[in-house]
Amino acid sequence: MSLTSLKSRFGTGLSPQEFIDSMQKNKETFETGYRDFSWKNEEDRLFFEELRSRSDLRVVLLAADWCGDVARNVPVVFRVLETAEIPVDVMILEENFDLMDEYLTMGGRSVPIVLFADAQEGEVLAQWGPRPEKVQELMRKFKAENPDREAADYAENMKVVREQMMERYGEGTSIHEVIVHELRTLLSGV
């Protein structure tokens, strides 16, 4: 899946706690999502606990604290990875453009990008992000209908789609179960 091995990135990123501690923006939103996470489905929790027996997985996660999708989604990803005991290297977007540019979303640098890799070789086995599918589909539609970033109505249309995305994220922790389900589905095939 990846153009290059992630092996050279292992051990070079921030730990999840170091990332949280370093946050300058969206920290309160992030910490609230992290603190308020709970397993809605016991089968999901057990699935991720069973991954503890797998020492062959590692995660490289591209993120930036200024990104609202990171603040909403990564707290759930961190909780899932903690439960699964999968090692994580958080790579700051602005310090890792070379890596980010291998995992563009519709041609853009969107985060978070969660890369599940083979712990020995660094081969990417699966990828999630930058947002849950039910939110991402709005952005895909927007990009298809608004290909010209210089168009007079681009900014206004972007504002509308961002409002729609916030509605899809929902209140409180409602999106958490969706992210857990997507991660479980993704990892079921790895």
Side-chain angles (χ1 to χ4, degrees):
M1 178 182 261
S2 72
L3 303 175
T4 58
S5 170
L6 294 179
K7 193 172 184 178
S8 67
R9 306 290 177 148
F10 296 164
T12 66
L14 300 173
S15 71
Q17 190 59 56
E18 289 170 333
F19 176 74
I20 295 168
D21 291 345
S22 73
M23 292 183 80
Q24 299 294 309
K25 298 178 181 157
N26 294 317
K27 189 171 187 171
E28 185 177 323
T29 300
F30 191 102
E31 288 178 330
T32 298
Y34 185 80
R35 180 191 66 237
D36 293 349
F37 175 83
S38 65
W39 293 99
K40 306 289 188 228
N41 179 322
E42 184 66 10
E43 289 180 21
D44 288 337
R45 186 184 62 76
L46 291 172
F47 172 85
F48 288 104
E49 283 183 358
E50 288 173 12
L51 290 178
R52 293 176 182 171
S53 66
R54 294 191 56 183
S55 60
D56 63 325
L57 294 175
R58 187 155 186 139
V59 166
V60 172
L61 192 155
L62 285 151
D65 68 352
W66 50 261
C67 177
D69 292 308
V70 168
R72 286 174 196 82
N73 301 328
V74 173
V76 180
V77 173
F78 280 177
R79 289 297 193 180
V80 164
L81 296 175
E82 285 170 11
T83 299
E85 296 180 357
I86 298 174
V88 182
D89 285 288
V90 181
M91 312 303 286
I92 304 302
L93 166 65
E94 291 82 2
E95 298 168 10
N96 294 279
F97 286 133
D98 60 326
L99 180 60
M100 181 76 248
D101 288 348
E102 290 189 42
Y103 299 95
L104 300 176
T105 303
M106 295 178 293
R109 292 175 172 157
S110 298
V111 289
I113 297 294
V114 183
L115 304 169
F116 292 91
D118 172 84
Q120 294 301 314
E121 301 301 319
E123 175 190 355
V124 175
L125 305 171
Q127 174 181 338
W128 185 89
R131 53 190 69 94
E133 178 57 32
K134 75 177 195 173
V135 179
Q136 182 63 12
E137 69 187 4
L138 291 170
M139 185 56 74
R140 271 196 302 277
K141 182 176 186 262
F142 168 80
K143 293 281 187 171
E145 294 173 355
N146 297 275
D148 181 8
R149 293 180 70 113
E150 304 303 317
D153 61 349
Y154 186 89
E156 184 58 35
N157 292 344
M158 176 61 87
K159 181 180 177 195
V160 170
V161 79
R162 289 198 187 282
E163 289 169 3
Q164 293 170 343
M165 289 168 64
M166 289 304 299
E167 289 174 18
R168 291 239 178 134
Y169 268 117
E171 294 294 322
T173 61
S174 62
I175 200 69
H176 289 190
E177 191 172 6
V178 173
I179 296 169
V180 168
H181 176 74
E182 288 184 8
L183 292 172
R184 180 177 175 178
T185 301
L186 183 69
L187 290 174
S188 292
V190 174

